[in-house]
């Protein structure tokens, strides 16, 4: 794996978003869905132009600090249920972070949906 994909994976993992997603979205609790979600987010980020990719990675790395500031000192990794949603609403008031959280979450959910096999008749996209 080259340095670029490792840096993106590291930025996503340090963001705390993965643990937030797993707690907020039951469909992402299955290991296969988690893997597909992460792969889809990282694949999309790798397709961005280098400057945008670097900016996105920086925003992901800053996300835990921004969440802590916006939520009155709470940790994104430990935020559960309504507490996590309130913190995310507060975070969305900070410029740029709303877009990062929304787009990453949408990509993760799409990745989980597209990554499932054998569900074409049950609403899955295949």
């Amino acid at each position: 794996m080259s340095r670029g994909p490792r840096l993106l994976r590291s930025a996503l993992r340090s963001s705390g978003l993965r643990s937030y997603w797993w707690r907020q979205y039951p469909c992402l609790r299955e290991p296969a869905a988690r893997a597909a979600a992460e792969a889809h987010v990282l694949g999309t980020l790798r397709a961005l132009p280098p400057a945008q990719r670097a900016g996105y990675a920086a925003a992901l790395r800053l996300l835990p600090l921004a969440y802590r500031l916006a939520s009155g000192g709470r940790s994104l990794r430990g935020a559960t249920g309504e507490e996590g949603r309130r913190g995310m609403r507060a975070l969305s008031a900070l410029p740029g972070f709303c877009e990062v959280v929304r787009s990453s979450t949408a990509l993760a959910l799409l990745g989980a949906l597209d990554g499932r096999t054998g569900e074409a008749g049950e609403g899955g996209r295949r």
Side-chain angles (χ1 to χ4, degrees):
M1 183 183 288
S2 70
R3 187 171 180 233
R6 277 196 313 260
L7 291 175
L8 288 173
R9 182 178 307 278
S10 174
L12 180 60
R13 289 187 174 177
S14 70
S15 74
L17 281 176
R18 293 176 340 131
S19 60
Y20 173 78
W21 294 332
W22 313 157
R23 285 189 309 275
Q24 296 296 324
Y25 302 99
C27 65
L28 292 175
R29 292 184 185 146
E30 300 170 22
R34 283 195 300 261
E38 184 175 349
H40 190 70
V41 171
L42 294 173
T44 301
L45 294 180
R46 281 192 295 270
L48 292 174
Q52 287 180 315
R53 189 171 46 235
Y56 207 103
L60 286 172
R61 290 227 181 250
L62 290 171
L63 202 129
L65 175 62
Y67 184 89
R68 203 172 281 278
L69 292 171
S71 67
R74 293 183 181 81
S75 167
L76 177 58
R77 290 189 195 281
T80 58
E82 185 55 35
E83 175 191 352
R85 287 186 287 277
R86 275 194 311 271
M88 281 299 186
R89 283 192 297 272
L91 177 69
S92 69
L94 300 176
F97 288 102
C98 180
E99 291 81 6
V100 168
V101 170
R102 284 185 183 185
S103 61
S104 297
T105 300
L107 289 169
L109 292 169
L110 285 171
L113 177 65
D114 287 347
R116 293 182 178 177
T117 58
E119 295 184 14
E122 301 173 31
R125 292 177 48 193
R126 284 276 156 204

